Amino acid sequence: MAKVDLSQKRKGALIVLVAVLVAGGLLANALYEDMAGLVDWHKEFIGEVTCGQLVGNRAYIGGSVNGGILACLNSSSGTIYWRRDLNERIDFLQVRGKVLLVTSKERASLWTVEGSMRWDVTIPHTENFHAAFLDDIDEDGLAEVVIVAGGEMKVLSGKTGDIMWRRTDIDFLASAIQSHGHVVVISGTTDKGQIALSVLDPVERKVKLVDTSVAPLCSSSSPLLEVSVLTWACLDASEHVLLRLSLNNANKDEPYLKIDNVPLEQHFPHSTTVHLTREGILQAPGTSKMIVTSKSGLLELITVDDRRVIPFATASGPVVLASAENDHIVLSIKHRNEPLQDKELTTSFHQSVNPKLAIVNSIPSDQVPIALVIMDDMVINGINHRGSVMWSREEALAEVDDIEFVELPAKGLEETLSPATSSNLPAKFFSRLISDVKHLFFELSQSASAVSDWLHDVSSLNNNHTTKELEKDIFGFNQLAVIATKSMKVYALRVAGAGQVEWSVHISPELPTVSEVPVAQNIFTLRSTAHKNPVSALVTVFSATSTVALFNPITGQILEVSHYDFPAAQVSMLPEVDHMDMHTLVLLERTGPLSATAHFYPGSTLPLKTQREVHLWLVDPAKSLIVGFATTTPQSEFKSVCVCKWNVQLPEGEKIVSVAAHDRREVVNARAKVLGDRSIMIKYINWNAIAIATTMDSTPAKSGTSSQKPFSSVQLYVFDTLTGATIAQVVHKRATVPVHIAMVEHLVVYTFTGGQLQSKLASLELYEDSKDWSPGELDSTKKVGDGLQVLSQVWNFATNIKDMTFSITAHGITPHYLITVLDHQVYVLDPRFFDARRPTPVNNAPAVLTREEREEGLIPYQSSIPVLAVSFASYSLSLHGVSQVESASTHLESTSHILAFGSARGGGDMFYTRISPSGAYDMLSSDFNKPLICLSLAVCLVATVAVWYLDKKRSHR
């Protein structure tokens, strides 16, 4: 037997020990405690502007967030002073002194300019609803309010909102209300087109009808516009004569109407049809005119040429025009004063967006904007008197369709990467070899740089790890959130900073003329930033067409836009990549109830070349139908006919209300759950499983002579999309919508509303027989319905849950916490609370935990899940309209990104934070002593060398 050289063994062991010590000292990185769980940023939004008024340094805006929101902005900076939820669209607002009148379809309310509500009244629903301020007729210090709704007029006290005077004899269709002192003038037309004016005196409680029989009939397509004080304009029935009407002696007993007729033949050809817009613009094909009035009562017509009129509040206010000039939009503001001011204020915007609404300042100055201009991509711009943009607000971020987190490339790494440009195997091999060699040298240089930075960190004791450059950081915090919005504008927000916009691009100009709102939008990462030239795809589905736009997620550059003449019923991404290192999108075209065609994009034929079946599934809520498809013989290079493999038709009356599937970013660390007694339970993990929630109205059978009331029920199905088999089914009686579902690994968590409108949270866990399990197997697809164990529990929850998702980590080791969106808050729920294995009471006695159950961390079952103050990720912040949440992993297993936002259906704020709910197993304290650990490692190293030297010296003796 060969003799072992002990000195060689000792030398090898020494080398290994030294390498471990050096690696532990130089390469170990961890998060500091003071970097975990911090609220990074909160963006407040207004949403789509419905109306507004700009008064000096304050702007009062009605927005679309959360159904309807009233906001006050600092017009000098664009920041929000205050916001108030009204939960319905604001149609009109007017400021007078220190109060603000706000109206919607069924409500009128008076607010102070500081955001306090004085009173609120309900108005019967009608399309014909107008409101205005009056003078202070009861001398209480506040202006009164007059409201006309349908055929009823009310004068309300400005102090209390009480009705001071009511009339129900308004027998014409009102189009406007004017107040002249303490007199109210209601203008409109009768059902026959006759102009009607009613003068009301709330002080003397008198009504004076004005004789309008001498006026010609008003055109049915032309509104009666208020163009100045007690002056109106409209087109007559022939639509070739402009009528100017002025009311005289309004404050006297016998007011009378003066009518001037302005023939339009000299301005428009007689054969053309002239229209009068609500902004006071006379328009005809090929030309347009602008109405301008002066104090003397003269009506003038100014040619607008090819400039487009931007909507504004009334026909008596300033006129804002837009025209195209050198690939930019030029804005011009004209004031209708006496004499008419021809001087124009001009500013420029890129022509890819168009001005949509203008709000002109009623008290302009050099320090505040002269106007707010709202673009069609929902950007609010404050324009100063020099025409410069003082500030901008990106309100499109209030209405989000989809979000995709994108990792940034490492600094300098993109130069070492070379994407495969050929399917030739030798060429691809050598290209990859060269790229790997470059990558090796790059990593060596980065390691040297890291050591240098580490030594500087030790010497300066600097624990600030905030990355300022747009590059990949060691913890994976510095990522981009690529966001698709309802306005078809795509943003990239840097989540590690203050949520600043790195780039934005308006996709709509790249498309054919599209006026409708997208039905759905989804973002996919086709080629990650691990490769050179990363590619993302935005798939936009309209009612009759679909569009795929490829772009670079780091720069925002549009690479390609493709159009399809069908609405994609389902869009998915294949897991494998082609020779260009790109994933393939599959757009499913519905050609019949049980037939479809799969379109592959961007033209990869990988599934067709390998003859692999691509399995797709489709849920049709309108028909309560679930269908499974598989691709067959390809029709062409880019599409394949699908054959129906299975279908499930739900019973009549059962409606699909929610669908959930596994997240494609989900990582499974272990298939087995180790229990306290050291036994194991095998998780049933099926990547093809989907969860579907349905509702059905039921009428129970009669009991004796009396019958119970009908009730609704909620059913939860878990289907296998390969075979159509039902994996699990749970029924909850006397339950209803809303229903939200989240899936991860073997777990399905869902919410619904139970009896007495109590919010419920339910958990469904799937396990399989451990006898049929083999280590290393991570998929349960082949075991559908074979001895599955289904565990389920239901709890009460204190408040309504709007949306939820599971936290995602890099390796799936950390337990999956449930991230929920509550009213104005984001809440993180510990998985122990929704564990379906929680011990239940026996014979109404509280459950007693065994030693093994306590060791496992189980909690005895209780009917309600407590809401703990320390579990609010948003702390004390109030998040208006937030209704959805997304999670993404970082490079630290303990930490996840959380981004909550408003949906495209209602709009809301945006809130980002990082959470580390499982504790500090990979964190360092903020006062961690690096010099001491370095000294300890140095002592160990010196001691090791000394021991080795002494041992070697003794062996020589």
Side-chain angles (χ1 to χ4, degrees):
M1 186 173 181
K3 186 177 179 180
V4 178
D5 188 350
L6 295 179
S7 63
Q8 293 296 327
K9 290 184 63 176
R10 293 192 187 99
K11 186 180 295 185
L14 177 63
I15 293 173
V16 172
L17 179 59
V18 172
V20 170
L21 291 174
V22 173
L26 296 182
L27 301 181
N29 288 281
L31 184 68
Y32 289 91
E33 280 181 345
D34 60 358
M35 297 171 61
L38 299 178
V39 175
D40 284 85
W41 45 266
H42 170 212
K43 289 183 176 291
E44 298 178 309
F45 294 115
I46 301 170
E48 183 180 3
V49 176
T50 58
C51 58
Q53 189 168 347
L54 184 56
V55 183
N57 65 347
R58 291 204 173 191
Y60 302 93
I61 304 291
S64 63
V65 162
N66 206 20
I69 195 169
L70 176 64
C72 175
L73 302 184
N74 181 341
S75 65
S76 300
S77 62
T79 57
I80 295 178
Y81 277 131
W82 52 261
R83 294 181 301 169
R84 302 292 181 264
D85 283 327
L86 272 64
N87 302 117
E88 58 184 357
R89 177 187 172 91
I90 300 175
D91 297 319
F92 170 80
L93 62 83
Q94 183 181 1
V95 180
R96 184 158 180 174
K98 297 294 183 180
V99 290
L100 175 65
L101 176 62
V102 179
T103 67
S104 57
K105 281 189 176 181
E106 299 182 358
R107 292 174 62 191
S109 55
L110 194 71
W111 300 73
T112 68
V113 292
E114 300 302 327
S116 299
M117 180 187 287
R118 284 191 170 273
W119 49 260
D120 179 45
V121 296
T122 302
I123 306 299
H125 177 69
T126 176
E127 296 295 332
N128 185 29
F129 179 27
H130 304 278
F133 278 113
L134 292 177
D135 283 352
D136 181 14
I137 60 178
D138 58 0
E139 299 181 352
D140 61 357
L142 289 174
E144 269 57 68
V145 175
V146 58
I147 294 175
V148 175
E152 186 177 33
M153 184 277 301
K154 297 178 182 178
V155 176
L156 307 179
S157 167
K159 187 174 184 179
T160 63
D162 296 334
I163 299 176
M164 300 176 60
W165 187 34
R166 172 185 293 176
R167 299 286 302 189
T168 59
D169 54 356
I170 309 298
D171 57 354
F172 56 87
L173 185 65
S175 60
I177 301 176
Q178 274 198 39
S179 62
H180 185 63
H182 62 273
V183 174
V184 180
V185 181
I186 304 173
S187 58
T189 55
T190 65
D191 54 358
K192 296 182 179 179
Q194 186 71 44
I195 296 172
L197 294 176
S198 182
V199 181
L200 301 93
D201 189 341
V203 176
E204 299 183 8
R205 305 292 178 92
K206 293 194 306 183
V207 179
K208 311 169 198 175
L209 294 177
V210 180
D211 183 15
T212 57
S213 59
V214 296
L217 294 179
C218 184
S219 170
S220 59
S221 62
S222 171
L224 185 63
L225 297 178
E226 169 195 343
V227 293
S228 70
V229 178
L230 299 183
T231 304
W232 300 266
C234 68
L235 291 175
D236 72 344
S238 69
E239 297 185 343
H240 287 88
V241 175
L242 184 65
L243 304 178
R244 177 192 173 278
L245 304 96
S246 58
L247 185 65
N248 297 312
N249 296 335
N251 291 319
K252 298 182 179 179
D253 292 337
E254 295 183 359
Y256 65 92
L257 191 65
K258 181 182 178 183
I259 302 174
D260 294 324
N261 297 334
V262 180
L264 301 178
E265 285 82 358
Q266 57 180 328
H267 304 286
F268 301 100
H270 186 76
S271 58
T272 60
T273 303
V274 182
H275 299 284
L276 179 63
T277 70
R278 294 192 176 276
E279 290 77 36
I281 307 298
L282 284 170
Q283 292 181 329
T287 184
S288 59
K289 302 287 182 176
M290 180 176 65
I291 296 177
V292 181
T293 55
S294 62
K295 279 187 177 180
S296 61
L298 298 177
L299 189 65
E300 301 181 23
L301 297 175
I302 302 297
T303 303
V304 179
D305 302 324
D306 59 348
R307 288 178 285 182
R308 185 174 64 87
V309 179
I310 304 174
F312 45 90
T314 64
S316 58
V319 180
V320 184
L321 306 174
S323 61
E325 188 173 298
N326 297 327
D327 295 330
H328 283 73
I329 300 295
V330 178
L331 300 181
S332 304
I333 300 177
K334 286 180 173 288
H335 293 273
R336 308 190 208 215
N337 297 335
E338 171 63 34
L340 178 66
Q341 293 182 354
D342 286 328
K343 183 179 178 181
E344 296 185 357
L345 172 71
T346 303
T347 188
S348 298
F349 300 94
H350 195 271
Q351 209 171 9
S352 61
V353 291
N354 293 311
K356 184 179 180 181
L357 180 67
I359 303 172
V360 181
N361 203 331
S362 59
I363 310 177
S365 70
D366 293 347
Q367 289 74 37
V368 298
I370 195 171
L372 301 183
V373 179
I374 296 90
M375 317 303 286
D376 59 6
D377 61 353
M378 294 178 61
V379 175
I380 304 177
N381 297 291
I383 310 299
N384 63 16
H385 67 286
R386 294 183 299 272
S388 303
V389 178
M390 298 177 63
W391 50 263
S392 296
R393 292 184 58 88
E394 298 283 354
E395 293 298 328
L397 287 169
E399 300 178 343
V400 176
D401 272 319
D402 195 22
I403 287 180
E404 179 85 355
F405 282 85
V406 177
E407 283 201 6
L408 294 171
K411 183 179 180 181
L413 182 60
E414 60 274 9
E415 284 79 11
T416 70
L417 299 176
S418 56
T421 57
S422 173
S423 59
N424 182 272
L425 186 59
K428 186 173 181 179
F429 171 77
F430 285 109
S431 175
R432 185 59 181 265
L433 180 61
I434 294 172
S435 177
D436 288 344
V437 171
K438 291 180 179 179
H439 194 180
L440 175 61
F441 284 104
F442 169 77
E443 288 294 341
L444 292 175
S445 64
Q446 287 293 100
S447 299
S449 177
V451 172
S452 175
D453 293 342
W454 178 82
L455 293 174
H456 178 267
D457 190 21
V458 171
S459 61
S460 63
L461 298 180
N462 178 21
N463 292 332
N464 184 13
H465 289 262
T466 302
T467 303
K468 295 183 178 180
E469 297 182 14
L470 193 62
E471 64 182 53
K472 186 176 183 178
D473 64 309
I474 193 169
F475 299 129
F477 293 166
N478 200 23
Q479 297 187 17
L480 292 181
V482 181
I483 302 173
T485 63
K486 179 181 176 181
S487 66
M488 301 189 66
K489 190 172 184 179
V490 181
Y491 294 85
L493 269 60
R494 183 176 172 183
V495 297
Q500 64 265 32
V501 177
E502 292 294 336
W503 57 261
S504 64
V505 58
H506 201 200
I507 300 293
S508 183
E510 303 291 336
L511 306 178
T513 303
V514 177
S515 57
E516 62 177 322
V517 176
V519 175
Q521 293 188 93
N522 297 101
I523 299 177
F524 299 88
T525 301
L526 301 187
R527 185 162 58 212
S528 70
T529 53
H531 305 275
K532 193 173 183 179
N533 301 326
V535 177
S536 291
L538 173 66
V539 182
T540 306
V541 180
F542 298 97
S543 59
T545 59
S546 300
T547 300
V548 180
L550 298 186
F551 61 93
N552 187 318
I554 305 302
T555 64
Q557 178 186 2
I558 300 292
L559 305 175
E560 180 180 317
V561 179
S562 300
H563 310 283
Y564 294 88
D565 58 358
F566 62 88
Q570 180 81 302
V571 182
S572 57
M573 186 175 70
L574 299 181
E576 58 264 61
V577 296
D578 60 12
H579 66 280
M580 297 290 290
D581 295 318
M582 287 187 63
H583 293 276
T584 300
L585 290 178
V586 183
L587 284 73
L588 191 64
E589 177 188 4
R590 190 84 174 271
T591 57
L594 300 178
S595 59
T597 300
H599 296 256
F600 296 95
Y601 185 87
S604 171
T605 57
L606 180 63
L608 307 182
K609 289 180 179 179
T610 59
Q611 299 299 314
R612 180 179 73 82
E613 281 189 340
V614 177
H615 290 266
L616 306 167
W617 55 272
L618 179 65
V619 177
D620 188 347
K623 298 181 180 179
S624 299
L625 179 67
I626 307 105
V627 188
F629 297 102
T631 56
T632 59
T633 306
Q635 283 183 324
S636 67
E637 185 180 2
F638 304 134
K639 66 180 180 179
S640 173
V641 174
C642 294
V643 62
C644 177
K645 288 288 188 178
W646 57 268
N647 69 89
V648 176
Q649 179 65 63
L650 298 177
E652 184 178 358
E654 193 168 355
K655 301 176 182 178
I656 299 174
V657 294
S658 185
V659 181
H662 284 282
D663 194 311
R664 62 180 181 270
R665 302 166 298 170
E666 183 181 333
V667 178
V668 177
N669 177 261
R671 277 286 309 281
K673 174 182 282 190
V674 181
L675 307 185
D677 59 0
R678 302 302 181 268
S679 63
I680 62 173
M681 297 181 69
I682 307 303
K683 305 173 186 177
Y684 177 82
I685 299 176
N686 186 345
W687 300 117
N688 301 305
I690 61 171
I692 296 178
T694 65
T695 60
M696 174 181 280
D697 294 330
S698 304
T699 303
K702 293 183 178 181
S703 176
T705 58
S706 62
S707 60
Q708 300 178 6
K709 294 181 180 180
F711 64 88
S712 62
S713 61
V714 170
Q715 295 82 25
L716 181 80
Y717 300 92
V718 181
F719 289 108
D720 177 69
T721 56
L722 284 181
T723 63
T726 302
I727 300 172
Q729 180 180 356
V730 181
V731 178
H732 301 279
K733 294 184 178 181
R734 291 179 172 81
T736 184
V737 294
V739 180
H740 303 285
I741 311 174
M743 291 184 68
V744 68
E745 294 188 357
H746 67 300
L747 177 62
V748 180
V749 175
Y750 55 101
T751 65
F752 58 91
T753 303
Q756 299 179 351
L757 301 180
Q758 174 66 55
S759 181
K760 302 280 187 178
L761 180 71
S763 175
L764 186 73
E765 296 188 27
L766 304 175
Y767 296 94
E768 61 180 84
D769 192 348
S770 59
K771 297 178 182 178
D772 300 331
W773 174 70
S774 59
E777 185 178 345
L778 291 179
D779 198 347
S780 305
T781 302
K782 297 180 181 179
K783 302 182 179 63
V784 175
D786 294 343
L788 290 183
Q789 182 182 5
V790 180
L791 303 180
S792 180
Q793 286 187 1
V794 181
W795 304 269
N796 295 326
F797 200 73
T799 183
N800 180 45
I801 296 177
K802 295 182 177 180
D803 190 32
M804 59 186 182
T805 189
F806 283 103
S807 60
I808 296 178
T809 58
H811 305 291
I813 300 173
T814 304
H816 296 283
Y817 281 68
L818 189 66
I819 316 301
T820 63
V821 176
L822 311 181
D823 290 331
H824 300 280
Q825 291 287 345
V826 175
Y827 186 76
V828 181
L829 189 59
D830 193 310
R832 294 177 297 173
F833 287 112
F834 54 86
D835 192 332
R837 297 176 52 250
R838 291 177 62 176
T840 56
V842 180
N843 297 326
N844 295 325
V848 179
L849 298 180
T850 64
R851 181 177 61 84
E852 291 79 7
E853 290 173 336
R854 287 195 298 270
E855 181 180 347
E856 193 179 341
L858 293 177
I859 301 175
Y861 178 84
Q862 294 178 340
S863 60
S864 298
I865 293 179
V867 177
L868 307 177
V870 294
S871 296
F872 283 98
S874 53
Y875 302 102
S876 59
L877 294 175
S878 180
L879 310 178
H880 290 257
V882 169
S883 58
Q884 289 184 280
V885 64
E886 285 287 340
S887 175
S889 64
T890 66
H891 294 172
L892 287 177
E893 177 59 27
S894 67
T895 308
S896 299
H897 295 289
I898 298 297
L899 184 61
F901 52 93
S903 70
R905 295 181 298 275
D909 289 353
M910 189 170 288
F911 167 78
Y912 166 81
T913 188
R914 294 190 299 266
I915 63 168
S916 302
S918 291
Y921 63 85
D922 58 355
M923 299 182 191
L924 299 176
S925 61
S926 58
D927 57 350
F928 183 79
N929 197 332
K930 277 191 172 183
L932 180 60
I933 194 65
C934 293
L935 179 61
S936 301
L937 289 172
V939 170
C940 291
L941 181 61
V942 172
T944 302
V945 174
V947 169
W948 171 77
Y949 174 77
L950 293 176
D951 181 67
K952 182 178 179 181
K953 186 176 181 180
R954 188 183 66 174
S955 63
H956 283 310
R957 291 177 182 175

